[in-house]
């Protein structure tokens, strides 16, 4: 419809790419991107195990196997060093997630994948509007995948997703696969799925897109306020809220994470853990080769991470309440 077509053009222009293909949700975007690259049974796709299982779900859905890469301890994004060590000729693609709104080290990752002639797919579900050197998330990889779930920096009223790319052939492949594999109306060249964004979601996203940069700026303000107020406290805070981070989530680390979380809950402050169980330790992974992955940095992070409230509508007084609760807790007993 007209709203979807208009949103695709507007979002492509915002990301600085030639093509945007809207789909039903972010996980479909990942799966259809892999299928457009010809990834299927017997193939291996490298990804991280600390990003909620969405890339693993897509990889399994196309019949491939995930190869888990460990993370950088400071950014908690994929480590380019570990990718260079673990990348083998069996790997057909790499999915790099921009976790918590902070862009993965794409120049370093692309240097590794480029030498191996392996396509890189960006998972931009938490990084709408982030950029490195002015080049936005969604414009670096062979393909990039977005979710517009309501909690995202750019969220619809319900589910929605998109694939962005500068490759016309891949864009046409995704367009076909999102609608049954049609090459023309009622003409099936291959079997795809029904994964379309509806017109209402596209209309809502079109109305919200002009506000995205302002909302991201407010998220950065909140994140900077947290980090400044928590300086010297016995928790590890994220740093560097420049253009490459849109502060989708504000995640601290503490060896006493569970006690800190319980104490904040008792003070009326909601928190969450993104994400508590790495993909290779999930029950669904038992008995698979992926379950044998050695990911010490990933596993340590999963034991320590805690997400504080961070969204564009958060008020200054609410930020002070969160920080005050953490200060009071640290005075009662050490929280490192």
């Amino acid at each position: 419809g007209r709203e979807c077509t208009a949103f695709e053009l507007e979002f492509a222009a915002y990301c600085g790419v030639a093509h945007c293909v809207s789909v039903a949700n972010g996980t479909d975007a990942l799966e259809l991107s892999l299928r457009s690259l010809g990834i299927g049974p017997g193939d291996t796709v490298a990804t991280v195990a600390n990003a909620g299982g969405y890339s693993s779900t897509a990889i399994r859905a196309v019949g491939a196997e995930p190869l888990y890469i460990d993370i950088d301890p400071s950014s908690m994004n994929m480590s380019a060093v570990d990718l260079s060590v673990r990348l083998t000729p069996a790997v057909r693609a790499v999915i790099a997630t921009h976790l918590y709104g902070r862009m993965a080290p794409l120049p370093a990752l692309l240097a590794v994948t480029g030498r191996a002639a392996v396509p890189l797919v960006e998972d931009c579900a938490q990084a709408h509007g982030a950029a490195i050197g002015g080049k936005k998330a969604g414009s670096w990889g062979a393909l990039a995948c977005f979710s517009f779930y309501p909690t995202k920096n750019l969220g619809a009223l319900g589910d929605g997703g998109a694939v962005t790319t500068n490759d016309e052939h891949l864009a046409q492949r995704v367009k076909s696969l999102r609608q049954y594999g049609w090459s023309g109306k009622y003409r099936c060249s291959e079997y795809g799925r029904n994964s379309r964004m509806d017109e209402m979601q596209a209309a809502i996203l079109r109305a919200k897109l002009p506000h995205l940069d302002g909302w991201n700026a407010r998220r950065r303000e909140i994140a900077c306020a947290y980090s400044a107020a928590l300086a010297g406290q016995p928790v590890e805070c994220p740093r560097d809220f420049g253009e490459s981070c849109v502060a989708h989530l504000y995640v601290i680390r503490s060896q006493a994470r569970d006690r800190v979380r319980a104490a904040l809950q008792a003070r009326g402050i909601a928190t969450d853990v993104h994400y508590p169980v790495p993909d290779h330790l999930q029950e669904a992974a038992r008995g698979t080769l992926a379950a044998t992955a050695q990911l010490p940095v990933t596993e340590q992070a999963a034991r320590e991470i805690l997400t504080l409230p961070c969204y564009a509508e958060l008020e200054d007084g609410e930020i002070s309440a969160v920080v005050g609760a953490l200060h009071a807790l640290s005075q009662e007993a050490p929280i490192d």
Side-chain angles (χ1 to χ4, degrees):
R2 289 178 297 178
E3 294 292 340
C4 280
T5 299
F7 173 70
E8 288 174 339
L9 291 171
E10 292 163 8
F11 195 64
Y14 177 81
C15 293
V17 295
H19 306 281
C20 170
V21 183
S22 58
V23 295
N25 55 68
T27 309
D28 279 3
L30 286 165
E31 179 184 338
L32 296 180
S33 290
L34 292 176
R35 288 193 61 184
S36 74
L37 291 169
I39 307 298
D43 292 332
T44 299
V45 178
T47 188
V48 291
N50 70 323
Y54 310 113
S55 61
S56 295
T57 296
I59 292 165
R60 296 287 186 190
V62 302
E65 290 285 332
L67 171 68
Y68 294 120
I69 308 301
D70 216 346
I71 59 172
D72 174 80
S74 58
S75 70
M76 290 185 278
N77 277 319
M78 181 181 285
S79 164
V81 173
D82 199 54
L83 177 64
S84 67
V85 171
R86 298 184 193 239
L87 195 64
T88 70
V91 174
R92 292 281 315 283
V94 173
I95 297 177
T97 300
H98 304 313
L99 193 64
Y100 307 148
R102 186 179 303 280
M103 287 185 69
L106 289 180
L109 293 174
L110 286 166
V112 176
T113 59
R115 288 193 295 269
V118 173
L120 183 143
V121 177
E122 295 176 70
D123 179 354
C124 304
Q126 300 183 1
H128 312 69
I132 297 175
K135 185 176 173 64
K136 280 194 168 65
S139 66
W140 291 77
L143 300 126
C145 305
F146 289 86
S147 167
F148 302 114
Y149 186 74
T151 59
K152 305 303 183 186
N153 291 40
L154 179 63
L157 184 65
D159 277 307
V163 176
T164 57
T165 183
N166 281 310
D167 188 309
E168 183 173 0
H169 171 71
L170 292 176
Q172 292 303 318
R173 287 272 291 141
V174 176
K175 285 182 180 180
S176 174
L177 289 166
R178 75 173 172 181
Q179 186 154 317
Y180 315 116
W182 282 358
S183 55
K185 193 170 184 180
Y186 306 132
R187 303 283 182 174
C188 232
S189 56
E190 61 181 315
Y191 291 110
R193 63 163 61 238
N194 178 2
S195 180
R196 292 166 297 191
M197 180 186 291
D198 68 63
E199 285 283 274
M200 181 61 74
Q201 305 305 338
I204 290 168
L205 290 169
R206 291 187 67 202
K208 294 176 77 172
L209 181 57
H211 302 282
L212 175 58
D213 289 342
W215 290 333
N216 284 344
R218 175 57 179 163
R219 285 175 177 268
R220 290 187 182 103
E221 287 179 5
I222 294 166
C224 288
Y226 273 144
S227 292
L230 293 173
Q233 293 297 308
V235 294
E236 183 179 338
C237 297
R239 300 179 296 276
D240 184 16
F241 295 101
E243 66 169 358
S244 65
C245 181
V246 291
H248 174 65
L249 297 173
Y250 186 89
V251 180
I252 63 173
R253 294 180 65 164
S254 170
Q255 293 181 12
R257 185 267 310 282
D258 294 340
R259 185 170 66 82
V260 173
R261 187 180 189 192
L264 290 176
Q265 182 65 41
R267 289 169 167 82
I269 296 169
T271 61
D272 210 336
V273 178
H274 297 86
Y275 300 93
V277 183
D279 296 11
H280 67 301
L281 300 180
Q282 294 284 354
E283 183 178 354
R286 290 180 183 173
T288 69
L289 182 61
T292 66
Q294 301 297 307
L295 305 170
V297 183
T298 295
E299 292 176 17
Q300 180 179 353
R303 294 189 293 267
E304 299 176 353
I305 51 176
L306 182 67
T307 303
L308 303 183
C310 183
Y311 47 93
E313 298 80 10
L314 198 66
E315 297 178 0
D316 291 344
E318 294 171 321
I319 299 170
S320 297
V322 176
V323 171
L326 284 168
H327 283 188
L329 180 59
S330 68
Q331 291 170 1
E332 294 168 8
I335 59 175
D336 57 353

